Every structure is written in structure tokens, then in C-alpha cells.
Amino acid sequence: MSRATLPPSFLYGALFGCTTYLLFRALSPVLLKLFGSQTMQQHVAQLSPGKQYHFHSQLPSTFHALVQIVGTFNVVFYGRQGFDDVLKEGTSPSIVFDDRTFVSYGITHLGPAVYMGFFVGYLLADTAKSPSFKDMGYVYVVHHAAASLCWTFCTCYRVMQPLSCFLQFNELSTPFMNVRQVMLTAGYKSSDLLVTIISLLFFFTFGAVRFFPLPFIIRNWVGRDYSAIQNEVGTGAAMMLSVFVAVHVFLQSSWFLQMCHKLIGMFRKGTKSTKSE
């Protein structure tokens, strides 16, 4: 292994991710008091500390998602100019890393390493603000810790940047999930038309960016990226990253299949209600 250092761009992003999380989390109860209905405020006040933590995490979560969507869009759809467009045939993009803070491409002209750091800073702040690991949910604790470790490791050794950015772009589905949850907290029913529309948007975006690309991720990892990363960081580290990829595939598949099951149940229930009428 070599080059085991974090670039300043990653650290800047981590600081920005942490501070904006804390800012929007502090802003959440203020906005609730200013714009939330009396019923919604009472409902939130009656929530347990753990559920209040999750409710007030939705605003920083949505901001983080929007930042990642804007920041990684160019990398996902057009690549990293001066890197992906000049790769020699057969070279894996997973061992090419742009660690600059400012770049000539993208909407914001901030480098992809900045957004990788932003992701880690957000995860660390979200974990630190939880009342307890139990309230946060042990699955989320493991997810946050594993993702922070993986992203930091990949940045230290300058590997797996394209896949990391694509997984950050997966946040495209997050705003719909958060809006749906806020609406339910406000008193809407899951069967209400507007909630149903938001739920379907969440379902389709989740499938589009998180589930259906999984076969291509597996193909690229097995056929191209694993061996290239193995040459860069060694067999042990490459196997560790393989575990992270496998867990990601398992979790995204499980969640999407659960949503499919709920969606089928919802349509069946609606069909039965129509027939009974």
C-alpha cells in the first residue's frame, strides 16, 4: 500500500458535512414551530427521544441528499474530465482518483473528493447526535460506521471513487422518503392521494438508482475493478471492500423487495375495496 493520506479536499468536505448537519438539525425545531400545525407540533412533542431524533434528522438528511445529487451528477453521467476520458483501454476507473478541491467540471466545480468527505462528515454528525445507538437503530449504526470507514479508506488510498460517487448519487430517492415521513407526521394518511404520489416517486427513484444498477455494479466489480484495486491496495483490503459491496447489494435488494411486497399488498387491498363497493 502507498499514499495513505487524506487530501485536504476530503477534510474540507467532512467539515462542511458535519457543520451543515448540525446547522439544519438546529433549524428543524425552529421551522416546526414557525410553520408546523398545532397538531403536528403536539405529535412531535409526544414522540420518544429516539423518534424525535429521527424526525429532526430529516431536514439535514434532505439537505445532504440535495448536495450529493448536485455534486455527483457530473461524475455519474459524464465522468471526471481529464481522468475518465483519457483512460487507456482496459484500465479500471476505480484506481484513478481526483483529489483536487476545485475542478473544471461539474455544476459546483468542487472535486468529487469534497463530496466524499461531505458524506462522511454527515454520517459522523448524525451518529454523534443520536441519543443512543439503540434509539438510532443498530442497523443504522453499523451502516454509518462501515460507510465512514470505507469512504475514508478509499480516499486515503485513492481507489473506488467512481463507485463511491454513484452510491452518493443514490441519495436521489432520499428527499421523497423524508417528505413522505413528514406528511405522515403532520397527520396525512398513507392512503391519501398526495402521500401515495410521493410514495410512488420514492419507490421508482429507489429502484432506478439503487436496485436496477446492482447487476452492473457486480459485473464491473468482479470483471474489472476487484483485480485493479487488489494490485493497488493488496488482497486483504480488496476483500474487505468486496464485503462492503456485497453488503450494499444485499441491503438495497432487501429494501427494494420489501417495498415491492408492500406495494403489491396496497394494490391488492385497493382492488378488493373496489370490488366490494
Side-chain angles (χ1 to χ4, degrees):
M1 291 187 185
S2 59
R3 300 176 295 172
T5 56
L6 283 172
S9 55
F10 180 89
L11 298 176
Y12 298 149
L15 179 62
F16 182 55
C18 182
T19 53
T20 52
Y21 176 94
L22 297 176
L23 173 64
F24 279 93
R25 185 171 184 82
L27 191 60
S28 179
V30 176
L31 294 178
L32 176 64
K33 187 175 181 179
L34 290 176
F35 302 107
S37 66
Q38 193 67 31
T39 301
M40 185 177 184
Q41 292 182 42
Q42 291 175 354
H43 188 188
V44 173
Q46 293 171 356
L47 295 175
S48 65
K51 290 184 178 180
Q52 284 194 21
Y53 153 76
H54 283 291
F55 178 81
H56 290 299
S57 293
Q58 290 173 125
L59 182 60
S61 169
T62 302
F63 176 76
H64 166 261
L66 295 175
V67 169
Q68 292 293 0
I69 294 165
V70 172
T72 60
F73 177 87
N74 197 88
V75 175
V76 171
F77 289 99
Y78 301 104
R80 299 159 294 175
Q81 293 176 10
F83 292 82
D84 296 313
D85 52 350
V86 295
L87 282 178
K88 295 181 180 179
E89 185 176 354
T91 302
S92 170
S94 63
I95 59 172
V96 178
F97 200 97
D98 188 350
D99 61 5
R100 297 173 297 171
T101 301
F102 300 103
V103 297
S104 60
Y105 57 86
I107 299 173
T108 65
H109 294 292
L110 293 175
V114 175
Y115 293 101
M116 293 178 72
F118 184 80
F119 178 58
V120 172
Y122 163 81
L123 293 177
L124 294 177
D126 190 40
T127 305
K129 286 297 292 182
S130 65
S132 68
F133 289 163
K134 182 178 180 180
D135 286 323
M136 184 178 181
Y138 293 115
V139 173
Y140 288 104
V141 174
V142 173
H143 168 270
H144 282 28
S148 298
L149 174 64
C150 182
W151 261 249
T152 303
F153 178 88
C154 289
T155 306
C156 275
Y157 292 99
R158 280 39 172 200
V159 294
M160 222 164 96
Q161 189 174 60
L163 179 56
S164 298
C165 288
F166 177 73
L167 297 184
Q168 290 160 227
F169 185 75
N170 284 182
E171 295 293 336
L172 181 67
S173 63
T174 300
F176 298 112
M177 177 184 68
N178 290 339
V179 169
R180 178 182 184 276
Q181 191 56 48
V182 169
M183 292 180 69
L184 293 176
T185 305
Y188 287 84
K189 297 179 180 179
S190 58
S191 58
D192 288 344
L193 177 61
L194 187 56
V195 178
T196 300
I197 292 173
I198 297 297
S199 298
L200 289 174
L201 287 172
F202 171 60
F203 173 78
F204 287 122
T205 54
F206 189 102
V209 298
R210 294 178 182 263
F211 179 74
F212 291 111
L214 292 179
F216 302 99
I217 291 175
I218 296 171
R219 181 198 65 185
N220 289 339
W221 183 260
V222 174
R224 181 191 67 188
D225 297 335
Y226 174 81
S227 58
I229 291 176
Q230 182 183 31
N231 292 333
E232 288 290 311
V233 300
T235 301
M239 291 179 67
M240 179 190 71
L241 294 176
S242 295
V243 172
F244 286 131
V245 172
V247 171
H248 171 77
V249 170
F250 172 76
L251 289 176
Q252 302 304 322
S253 300
S254 299
W255 290 333
F256 186 71
L257 292 176
Q258 288 176 27
M259 285 189 285
C260 288
H261 179 73
K262 290 182 179 180
L263 189 64
I264 292 171
M266 181 181 71
F267 279 115
R268 284 179 175 174
K269 184 178 180 181
T271 302
K272 288 181 180 179
S273 299
T274 303
K275 288 181 178 180
S276 63
E277 292 175 0

